[in-house]
Each structure stands twice: as structure tokens, then as C-alpha cells.
Amino acid sequence: MIFPSRFCPQVLVEKMADINLKEVTLIIGVVAACYWNSLFCGFVFDDVSAILDNKDLHPSTPLKTLFQNDFWGTPMSEERSHKSYRPLTVLTFRLNYLFSELKPMSYHLLNMIFHAVVSVIFLKVCKLFLDNRSSVIASLLFAVHPIHTEAVTGVVGRAELLSSIFFLAAFLSYTKSKGPDNSIVWTPIALTVFLVAVATLCKEQGITVVGICCVYEVFIAQGYTLPLLCTTAGQFLRGKGSIPFSMLQTLIKLIVLMFSTLLLVVIRVQVIQSQLPVFTRFDNPAAVSPTPTRQLTFNYLLPVNAWLLLNPSELCCDWTMGTIPLIESFLDIRNLATFIFFCFLGALGVFSLRYPGNSSKTVLMALCLMALPFIPASNLFFPVGFVVAERVLYVPSMGFCILVAHGWQKISNKSVLKKLSWVCLSMVILTHALKTLHRNWDWESEYTLFMSALKVNKNNAKLWNNVGHALENEKNFERALKYFLQATHVQPDDIGAHMNVGRTYKNLNRTKAAEESYMTAKSLMPQIIPGKKYAARIAPNHLNVYINLANLIRANESRLEEADQLYRQAISMRPDFKQAYISRGELLLKMNKPVKAKEAYLKALELDKNNADLWYNLAIVHIELKEPNEALKNFNHALELNPKHKLALFNSAILMQESGEVKLRPEARKRLLSYVNEEPLDANGYFNLGMLAMDDKKDTEAEMWMKKAIKLQADFRSALFNLALLYSQTAKELMALPILEELLRYYPDHIKGLILKGDILMNQKKDILGAKKCFEKILEMDPSNVQGKHNLCVVYFEEKDLLKAERCLVETLALAPHEEYIQRHLNIVRDKISSSSFVEQPVFPAGKTSDIEGDKIPTENEKEIKSKPRPIQIIKTSDNKSQSKSNKQLGKNTDKETPHKTTKEIKEIEKKRVAALKRLEEIERILNGE
């Protein structure tokens, strides 16, 4: 069979190699000129979920997890997964993270490089069907087209870029599969299949290149037209002829391609476990609409997308919800656009399939590039989670650019229109480049992005919500509330908008209004239909309304049971709702039901065994159950999953320290050092390192850590006191005084600080009056303080007022009748009163007025423990951007100190008692010697 030599394989190979350095430099330069400002944009919109909140980027996450989770880091097995399986794209994000962590510039730079690579490869593809000049023009149009800003400037658009690279590479490889005499060259075919698989692992639409290869094989490589195919098939079916050898070769190649594609589809279906993602009418209203609204609207979306390619003047980052009103009648004027579009498309299709020649083949390949890659996003075969998405037009725009360049070539060949065609083309390229450059700035921040979208479309409640989120992130709750309220007006049945209003009211401390908004959102939830699976009828994140409402009302101690009922209701709706178990576990701890809390966390762990936060929470439960060994095991498990888990590092170290086991101290120190490396501005880490050093008698190191803690937090009472105590224990009492002055400036009622200060004033400074003021102030605050009262008695004795000292000791003994040393001191004083040979000599030697030496105050040796939310943004309609764990720390219930004493506290008390008895014995020896 004869077909134009332009399309023979040998010429194709030569043309593919005909890419010179000037053309490549021009393309790369144009891309850099259009996208240089994208380097200064941040992570916005979907970037937050795919980059900032995606644990799969972290080096601590095993690489195999990338192949088990979706694009957003959610396990593919979970129903809330979007089923977007793109592990190779996530791998490139991980490489970015490895070199620059979460600095957005490197991510944007790599996207820009990938776009330049796609543009250069596209130039090679264009040269298969266009002349050199038209190929360069098509490539330039593609490089500057504003529709690509979402794919290039939005970091998550990298899936389009990577998939396109392997998409085009697979096609170019397939063009080499035809050898001399129409023989089959299998190596390019095998490479094509491999590249298709890689493209599909970057983004699902990569598999559509197989369809383009099939069209290329039949109509380009073999040169068939549709009438010729029909004639040949008819003759064969009537038995008037055999199948030509070239057609047999073609069939073999097509069978191999189709079989490989089928295999990839089967694997893909297995990956998503034969489940489509759950979308709601808010994501794609037409998908849940009845006939014919559904069909009319979906068909109308095709000319809408075509118009965006033709006139990208009004671009919007989000086309969901009410952006495009549904077409509910055949009389809707918009159906005319659909009709015209299909007529034009049909005319091009007939021209390209019916007639031979270079022009028809070029048009055919352009139509294939436009239509086939768009099929997965068209809603025609299965619903998707959006109405229109500009980034999915990245590959279809290639066909559009070929079509435009080919049309321009036809016009410019006419001498009359040549100059005008060049002027128009120059204007198009220039205006597109300027539009792209300007559009990039919209992606600078979430606020600029969503505000630019609102200029295009004010009927999308999601846009109003997202502007509110951007303002909320800046703590501008009053302005955020206005946008959230506007979202409820635009879409009154938007559950997420009412949840956002409730959360904002909560942030503004308007609890009653917040509860009303949550109740409104709850009332909009679909009612349970007996026998129907509830989870399949609602977006998983909308169930967070129960969590948010429960979190709000549980602040009221009288409504804890009501909050628990809401958690249980959420669990009954979705037994796999992990967050409900987590939040309920935290509530049960607050209700002093640690056994039930343990059950809740164990249930959550059944759903997610690799969640370090859950193992951490379970450790907290074991602490409440007074099972420190089990708690430590769970802390260790959390650290195995996430070696940088800050709370697990800190609290496991404290648990080791409190155990009193010397062998655990090195590991405790190692974990605290890791903690301060992760949290260098948290004074608590340095303070506890100082306490460990004091336990190990490393006084110089302890002093260093305490000073670091105080430098970060000047009013850190425990660090101030223990540094002063350290100085007093190491014969540096005078250095302790200014530290104590600072402590008492912040905390005038610090009793132990006053006792230590009084001790130093009396025994080192010989300032009896100053010491007396300290002890008297203690008794003003706590008249029953035995230590302060006893030391004041010592002051009276030093002042030689034995009668007052006697009365003081009698009062002290009444406060602590079982303290034997007070009775002995009282007897000694009475003996001195009755003795006429009283000598003016101090009864208590210097340094022995108090019994606090060595006291490290175990009750202050721990951080103040409060529940901290963890900022994870999944969908911005949730109450807490953190709903993954209950962050409690050791030694206390939420906001409450534990009433019992730890083993270490008991040991410290015994040490103090022994030290006091030794001092009393020495006092008595001195007194009796007089």
C-alpha cells in the first residue's frame, strides 16, 4: 500500500533527530521568561495536602508506603482515599524534601524544568506532522499558554508534567516500531509499554497514549483512511479477499498494545480495590443529577473546556459547586454551544478520517491528542471530583496547539494574508506570555489565589470558604467569618461552610453561636436509610461535624456524656472513622475512664497501626493506669515509626528519669538532646537535661542547661529555683541570691524560694532581718507551713528572744505533733530559759536553719501538661486542622496535676528527712555542749 513518503519511518526518524540547539534554547528561554516569578510562590490550595501534610515525603516514611498510599498520603484501602495513585510523582516530591525540606522554591523550580522538558519533547512530536517553522510555533504556543499555570505553578500539577514527559516519550518510541518492509521492531514496542506504565504511575491519564499509538499505527504509519478500512473489511467478510500482510502486522501490534493496556487497567483496578472514590454533589453537582440534566451538563462542559483553550482570559483555580449552573432543559440556550462544538468536532473528524493527505493526518493526530487524554476527566464514563479543572487540559492543549499551528501554516502560505498572520501570531504569543506571567502571581499565596478566583466566579461557595481559610490562617477571624457566612448564603446547604462558621465563632469565643452553626451543619447531614450503607452517601470529612460539636461541648464538664454520645454516633455511621476513636479516647481520659480510653485507642490502632501519634496516646493511657513499663513500650513503638516524634521523645525521657533507674539515664539524655534539636526554642527540654545532669552530679553541665532554659524563658520558675538550689549545694550560695531575687520577682509567693533565700541570708549574709522577712512572708501566705514556722523560731532564738522562740516552737509543734525534732528543740529552748548561765551563742550553726538542702522539688520537675492540637489540614471544613491525636504529656491529666506522688518524690522526701535529722543531731550536740 502506498502512502505519502512524509510519513515513512525512515523520514520520521530523521525528522525526530532534526532538533537543533537554537530551537531548544529558544523554548527553554521562553519557559524561563514566562515562569520565573513562579519561583516566589508558596504552597497553596491542593499543595497543602499533597506537600505540607503528606508524611510520605518524610525520609522516616518507608519507600514502600508511597506505593500503598494515594497522591495525598491516604492509604488506598481507606474509603476517604481519592484513589489517585501517583507514587512516582510523590517520589519526586520526596526528593525535593530531601534537598530543601519544605522550601517551596525548589519545588517550583523543578516544575518549571519539567515544563521546559515537555515543551522540547513536544517540539519533536510536532516535527512528525508539521514543518520546522510550524513545529516551533506549536511548541512556543504550548510553552506560553496561560491554561498551564495551574499545572506548572501549582506544585501538585507536577503529576501532569511528569506524566506528559513519559506520555510523549512512549509515543515517540512507538513511532520507531515499524521496520523495513513493514516489519515489526519489538524493542520500541516493549519500551513503549514500559513508558506507558511509568506515565500511568505519574498520573492515570498516561495510559491514554496507547489509544494515540493505535490511531497513529492505523492511519499514519499504515496510511489507511476510514473508507479504505471499510472496503478492506467488507471484502474480507464477503470472502472476496484475504487480509493484507501489512494489516496482519498492524493487528499483531495493536493486540500487543491492547493486551498490555488491559493488564495495566486490571492492576490499576486492583490498586484501588475496585472502589471508586466517594464524591458529593458539592464536588460535582451534575454527577448526582437526574437524566437529562446530567447528560446535558456534562456535554456542555466539553465546549467550556475548549473555550478555555481558545480564550484563557478568565481562569479560576476551582470550578466546583455552583460555578457552572446545571442545564436542566433542552431549551437552555447553552445547548447551542454544545451543538456547535460537536458539529465542528465532527467536521474535523470526517475530514481527517475520510481523506488522505498530510493535512488530514495532522488534523487527526491533533484531535486524538485533544480528545483521548481528556476522556478520564470528561465525566462521560465515570464521575470525577470536579466540574472543570484547568490542569487536566495540559496534554489536550498539545493537540490544540498543533491544530492552531497547522491552521496558521495554511493561512500564512497565502501571500495576501502572510503579514497579517504573522502579526496575529505574534500578538497571540505575546499576550499569552504576559497573561501567564501575570497569572503566576495569583499563586503567590492562598489569599491571592482565591481572591483572583472570586473575580471570575462568585457563585462557588468553596471559593468563599477558601478565602476565609486564608484569613483564618492569619488569625484574622473577624474577616474570615464574613467570607464563611457569605459561603452559607451562596450555598445554604453546604455542610462545610456551616462547620467553618462554627469553628470561627469558637475561635472568637462565641460558644453559643458556634454550637448553633454546628447544629445547623448536623441537620443538613443525610438521614440514615435502613439497609443502605451510610458511608457511601456522604463525604467522610463532613462527619467531622460530630467531632467538632463534641469537642466544643465537652469544655462544659456537665456535658461530657453528651459529647461521648456524639463520638459514638459518628462511629456508628462509619465504624472505620479513626478520628472519632481518637477524640473519644481523649474524652474518656478526661472522664477518668482510662480502661475505655485504652479500648478506643486500640480500635483506632486496628485501623492504622503505623500511626505514631496513636501509639503515643496509648502510652499516655498506660501512664494514667499507672503502668509505666507499658507506657515506655508504647513510647518506643511511636519512636520506631517516627524517630522525631517530639512529644514521645520528651515524655519517654521524663518517664525514664522518674523511674530512678540509673541505666536508663543515658537513653533519657539522648532523647532529650534529640528533642531540643527538634524544638530548640522549648526551654523545657534544656531544663530536664539540667535535672538529669543534677541527678548524675554533673554540676557544671547542669548549670549550663539551666541557664539555657532561663535564657529562652526568663520566668521559668522551676529552672530559676533549681539553678539557685544547685549553687547552694555547691558552696556558691552568694551566686544563688540574684537568681532567687529574679525568681521571687516573677513569683513572690514561691515558698521554697523564700525558704532558700532566708537560709542564705541568715547563714551566709548574716542578715537576720532579711531572713525574718522571708519566713514571715511564708507564714502570711501559709500559716500552717511547718518549715517556715520552724525557721522563724530559729530567727527568734538568734535574736535572743527565748520566750518568743518558745511560744513559736509550741505553735509549730501543734502544727506537726509527730515531728520529733521540734519537740527536742522546744526542750532545749526551755532548758536555756530555766538556766541562769545563758551564753550569747547561736543555737543553730550557719547553714543549718532549713532542711531544703538537696531539694529538687519533684512536683516542678515536669512540664506543665496541656492538650495541644496538632495542625494537619486535610480539608478545611474541619473544626481542628489537627484531628490526629490527643497531645498530652506526662504527670498530669488534661490541665490538672496528678494528686498522687511519684516514686521519685517519695525518695526525695525521705532524703530530706534524713538530712534534717542529721542537722538536728548536730544542733543538739552544740546546745548540750554549752
Side-chain angles (χ1 to χ4, degrees):
M1 185 168 294
I2 301 173
F3 52 89
S5 62
R6 174 186 178 85
F7 294 98
C8 70
Q10 292 83 1
V11 175
L12 290 177
V13 173
E14 291 173 6
K15 284 183 173 291
M16 286 170 57
D18 190 20
I19 300 289
N20 59 56
L21 183 60
K22 289 182 180 180
E23 293 170 340
V24 173
T25 303
L26 175 63
I27 298 297
I28 294 176
V30 168
V31 169
C34 287
Y35 287 98
W36 65 268
N37 57 338
S38 70
L39 300 179
F40 304 100
C41 297
F43 294 120
V44 297
F45 204 15
D46 290 339
D47 297 346
V48 176
S49 298
I51 308 295
L52 299 182
D53 297 336
N54 193 346
K55 292 183 180 179
D56 289 348
L57 272 63
H58 301 172
S60 58
T61 302
L63 278 174
K64 66 177 183 180
T65 306
L66 272 65
F67 294 88
Q68 297 169 347
N69 294 348
D70 67 13
F71 187 52
W72 317 98
T74 305
M76 294 292 291
S77 58
E78 293 190 12
E79 189 171 359
R80 64 188 178 94
S81 169
H82 282 218
K83 311 301 180 185
S84 46
Y85 188 65
R86 304 161 191 172
L88 296 186
T89 303
V90 179
L91 183 62
T92 65
F93 292 152
R94 185 166 174 143
L95 292 173
N96 273 120
Y97 187 92
L98 184 65
F99 288 104
S100 64
E101 294 192 347
L102 295 176
K103 296 177 182 177
M105 181 174 286
S106 72
Y107 294 80
H108 289 294
L109 176 62
L110 195 54
N111 270 25
M112 188 171 72
I113 292 172
F114 284 148
H115 180 54
V117 171
V118 174
S119 299
V120 171
I121 299 177
F122 178 57
L123 177 61
K124 285 189 175 184
V125 172
C126 290
K127 292 202 172 188
L128 296 176
F129 313 109
L130 299 169
D131 58 30
N132 285 339
R133 187 176 62 183
S134 299
S135 297
V136 173
I137 288 170
S139 184
L140 285 174
L141 280 171
F142 177 80
V144 304
H145 204 296
I147 202 73
H148 298 155
T149 51
E150 184 171 337
V152 181
T153 310
V155 177
V156 294
R158 185 176 300 176
E160 315 289 338
L161 307 176
L162 281 174
S163 179
S164 299
I165 290 174
F166 296 107
F167 180 102
L168 295 176
F171 176 69
L172 289 175
S173 175
Y174 186 79
T175 59
K176 300 178 182 179
S177 64
K178 183 179 178 181
D181 302 323
N182 213 22
S183 60
I184 300 175
V185 183
W186 289 106
T187 301
I189 294 177
L191 181 59
T192 297
V193 173
F194 172 75
L195 291 172
V196 170
V198 174
T200 306
L201 290 175
C202 294
K203 192 177 180 184
E204 298 79 1
Q205 70 180 29
I207 201 170
T208 60
V209 70
V210 173
I212 293 173
C213 290
C214 291
V215 172
Y216 172 84
E217 176 66 29
V218 174
F219 296 101
I220 308 300
Q222 301 301 328
Y224 289 109
T225 62
L226 190 59
L228 183 58
L229 278 176
C230 293
T231 302
T232 305
Q235 290 177 349
F236 175 74
L237 291 174
R238 290 194 299 268
K240 295 182 178 180
S242 60
I243 299 178
F245 177 75
S246 61
M247 186 174 285
L248 286 175
Q249 295 283 71
T250 300
L251 285 174
I252 292 173
K253 292 168 76 173
L254 294 182
I255 289 171
V256 170
L257 282 178
M258 296 309 294
F259 179 79
S260 302
T261 304
L262 183 62
L263 183 62
L264 287 174
V265 170
V266 170
I267 294 173
R268 183 69 174 82
V269 171
Q270 289 297 316
V271 167
I272 66 172
Q273 300 183 2
S274 303
Q275 291 181 343
L276 288 175
V278 177
F279 299 117
T280 70
R281 59 191 177 85
F282 300 110
D283 299 315
N284 191 347
V288 295
S289 298
T291 303
T293 300
R294 175 189 174 101
Q295 290 75 18
L296 291 176
T297 304
F298 281 158
N299 280 285
Y300 172 68
L301 295 181
L302 299 178
V304 169
N305 281 280
W307 180 251
L308 287 175
L309 289 173
L310 189 63
N311 179 30
S313 59
E314 293 187 340
L315 300 177
C316 181
C317 63
D318 194 306
W319 294 79
T320 57
M321 303 188 83
T323 303
I324 299 177
L326 298 174
I327 299 179
E328 299 177 324
S329 168
F330 286 101
L331 299 178
D332 193 311
I333 190 65
R334 289 175 293 172
N335 290 320
L336 183 60
T338 306
F339 177 76
I340 294 173
F341 172 78
F342 278 107
C343 286
F344 180 71
L345 197 66
L348 289 177
V350 169
F351 169 75
S352 61
L353 291 172
R354 185 176 180 83
Y355 301 105
N358 297 348
S359 182
S360 61
K361 305 309 178 188
T362 301
V363 171
L364 177 62
M365 291 310 299
L367 289 176
C368 286
L369 279 170
M370 288 178 66
L372 295 180
F374 185 72
I375 287 176
S378 66
N379 283 290
L380 297 178
F381 297 98
F382 49 83
V384 294
F386 52 83
V387 179
V388 173
E390 292 165 11
R391 62 175 173 264
V392 302
L393 295 174
Y394 189 77
V395 175
S397 69
M398 295 178 185
F400 174 78
C401 292
I402 290 176
L403 206 58
V404 172
H406 180 59
W408 175 87
Q409 178 189 357
K410 293 293 185 182
I411 294 172
S412 63
N413 286 339
K414 299 178 180 179
S415 58
V416 179
L417 300 174
K418 186 172 185 179
K419 290 184 179 179
L420 181 61
S421 67
W422 274 105
V423 171
C424 292
L425 177 67
S426 301
M427 289 296 295
V428 168
I429 293 178
L430 180 61
T431 54
H432 277 39
L434 292 175
K435 173 66 176 178
T436 298
L437 192 65
H438 181 266
R439 174 66 172 157
N440 289 335
W441 290 121
D442 290 341
W443 294 79
E444 185 177 11
S445 68
E446 293 207 320
Y447 180 78
T448 57
L449 178 64
F450 297 126
M451 285 301 293
S452 70
L454 279 178
K455 294 176 183 177
V456 176
N457 173 32
K458 291 181 170 58
N459 296 322
N460 186 340
K462 191 174 177 181
L463 294 176
W464 294 99
N465 279 320
N466 284 333
V467 174
H469 287 307
L471 293 168
E472 185 183 33
N473 291 335
E474 298 172 0
K475 307 299 181 185
N476 194 339
F477 298 121
E478 290 288 353
R479 285 189 64 199
L481 181 60
K482 294 178 182 178
Y483 283 91
F484 290 142
L485 288 171
Q486 181 62 29
T488 63
H489 295 150
V490 171
Q491 189 90 30
D493 58 350
D494 182 6
I495 297 172
H498 291 285
M499 291 169 66
N500 291 336
V501 171
R503 185 183 62 254
T504 309
Y505 276 135
K506 181 182 176 183
N507 290 331
L508 292 170
N509 295 319
R510 296 165 64 178
T511 307
K512 185 177 180 181
E515 185 173 348
E516 290 175 356
S517 295
Y518 285 141
M519 291 300 292
T520 301
K522 183 171 173 284
S523 69
L524 293 170
M525 296 284 284
Q527 299 302 309
I528 297 177
I529 300 174
K532 189 166 185 179
K533 188 179 179 183
Y534 189 86
R537 299 169 50 244
I538 187 169
N541 286 289
H542 283 172
L543 279 174
N544 284 326
V545 66
Y546 294 95
I547 306 300
N548 298 344
L549 182 56
N551 290 346
L552 178 71
I553 66 176
R554 78 181 194 183
N556 185 339
E557 295 288 337
S558 65
R559 301 181 70 182
L560 297 182
E561 288 293 342
E562 185 181 347
D564 189 34
Q565 176 63 30
L566 286 167
Y567 290 136
R568 284 185 278 125
Q569 187 175 355
I571 290 170
S572 69
M573 292 178 176
R574 284 185 66 95
D576 63 344
F577 193 11
K578 178 179 64 178
Q579 180 55 43
Y581 292 107
I582 295 172
S583 297
R584 184 167 186 247
E586 185 178 356
L587 175 67
L588 290 169
L589 276 179
K590 187 175 182 178
M591 297 170 71
N592 293 320
K593 297 179 180 179
V595 175
K596 288 188 176 181
K598 178 181 175 182
E599 292 174 0
Y601 284 130
L602 287 174
K603 183 64 179 178
L605 279 169
E606 289 179 13
L607 300 170
D608 188 3
K609 292 183 179 179
N610 295 321
N611 190 321
D613 300 332
L614 285 175
W615 288 105
Y616 169 82
N617 286 348
L618 189 59
I620 296 298
V621 174
H622 282 296
I623 289 172
E624 297 294 330
L625 292 170
K626 299 180 178 60
E627 298 173 351
N629 291 334
E630 288 299 316
L632 189 56
K633 287 180 183 178
N634 288 310
F635 279 139
N636 291 341
H637 203 146
L639 290 171
E640 287 174 9
L641 294 169
N642 180 8
K644 294 184 178 181
H645 195 290
K646 300 171 189 176
L647 291 170
L649 284 169
F650 180 82
N651 287 305
S652 62
I654 301 304
L655 192 62
M656 292 175 177
Q657 186 179 4
E658 287 190 340
S659 70
E661 296 186 34
V662 177
K663 63 181 181 180
L664 293 179
R665 286 181 187 170
E667 179 62 22
R669 184 177 186 276
K670 179 182 176 182
R671 293 187 182 186
L672 284 173
L673 287 172
S674 297
Y675 176 77
V676 298
N677 185 53
E678 293 296 315
E679 288 286 346
L681 300 180
D682 186 358
N684 291 286
Y686 300 104
F687 167 72
N688 282 282
L689 280 167
M691 298 307 297
L692 269 177
M694 289 179 75
D695 288 340
D696 291 334
K697 308 300 180 185
K698 298 177 180 178
D699 299 332
T700 303
E701 183 181 338
E703 180 184 0
M704 175 190 71
W705 293 124
M706 291 296 181
K707 285 182 175 180
K708 281 191 174 183
I710 294 168
K711 184 178 180 180
L712 288 171
Q713 185 179 333
D715 61 345
F716 196 158
R717 58 182 288 163
S718 298
L720 288 165
F721 177 77
N722 283 285
L723 179 58
L725 186 61
L726 176 65
Y727 284 143
S728 70
Q729 290 175 337
T730 53
K732 300 177 182 177
E733 289 88 347
L734 296 181
M735 291 179 67
L737 266 182
I739 304 298
L740 288 169
E741 293 288 353
E742 191 73 5
L743 171 67
L744 295 171
R745 183 170 71 86
Y746 288 113
Y747 308 101
D749 58 347
H750 196 289
I751 291 177
K752 293 193 177 185
L754 288 166
I755 290 175
L756 183 56
K757 180 182 177 183
D759 183 26
I760 295 173
L761 289 175
M762 176 175 285
N763 298 304
Q764 302 299 321
K765 301 281 287 185
K766 306 302 180 182
D767 183 356
I768 304 299
L769 182 60
K772 184 177 181 180
K773 289 180 179 178
C774 290
F775 300 138
E776 286 176 342
K777 187 170 183 180
I778 292 171
L779 294 177
E780 287 177 12
M781 294 182 291
D782 182 12
S784 62
N785 188 286
V786 175
Q787 192 173 2
K789 186 81 171 176
H790 174 265
N791 287 352
L792 184 60
C793 300
V794 175
V795 170
Y796 293 150
F797 192 92
E798 292 289 341
E799 292 177 339
K800 306 180 186 62
D801 193 340
L802 296 180
L803 294 177
K804 199 169 185 178
E806 180 190 20
R807 288 195 301 273
C808 179
L809 285 168
V810 169
E811 293 171 2
T812 307
L813 187 62
L815 292 173
H818 302 294
E819 294 291 350
E820 189 179 342
Y821 75 94
I822 299 176
Q823 181 64 60
R824 288 202 302 271
H825 284 187
L826 178 59
N827 293 337
I828 292 171
V829 170
R830 284 174 174 171
D831 288 343
K832 293 305 176 184
I833 291 175
S834 61
S835 172
S836 58
S837 59
F838 177 73
V839 180
E840 294 185 4
Q841 180 177 341
V843 177
F844 301 96
K848 305 300 177 182
T849 59
S850 67
D851 62 348
I852 64 169
E853 186 172 334
D855 182 9
K856 293 185 184 177
I857 317 177
T859 57
E860 295 184 335
N861 193 1
E862 301 164 358
K863 293 174 68 175
E864 183 180 0
I865 310 309
K866 294 185 178 178
S867 176
K868 295 180 181 177
R870 181 169 179 261
I872 292 184
Q873 183 178 7
I874 299 173
I875 265 203
K876 292 187 174 180
T877 54
S878 63
D879 183 20
N880 294 318
K881 292 179 184 175
S882 159
Q883 294 191 346
S884 62
K885 64 184 178 183
S886 113
N887 287 339
K888 300 176 73 179
Q889 296 177 346
L890 283 179
K892 300 179 182 180
N893 290 327
T894 307
D895 301 333
K896 295 181 181 178
E897 296 185 1
T898 49
H900 63 278
K901 293 186 180 296
T902 64
T903 304
K904 184 174 180 180
E905 288 176 325
I906 294 171
K907 289 181 179 179
E908 292 292 344
I909 291 170
E910 290 302 318
K911 288 180 182 179
K912 288 187 276 184
R913 288 185 182 277
V914 171
L917 288 174
K918 288 181 180 179
R919 290 196 290 275
L920 291 174
E921 290 173 2
E922 186 177 351
I923 291 169
E924 289 168 3
R925 284 198 300 271
I926 294 172
L927 291 173
N928 292 332
E930 293 179 352

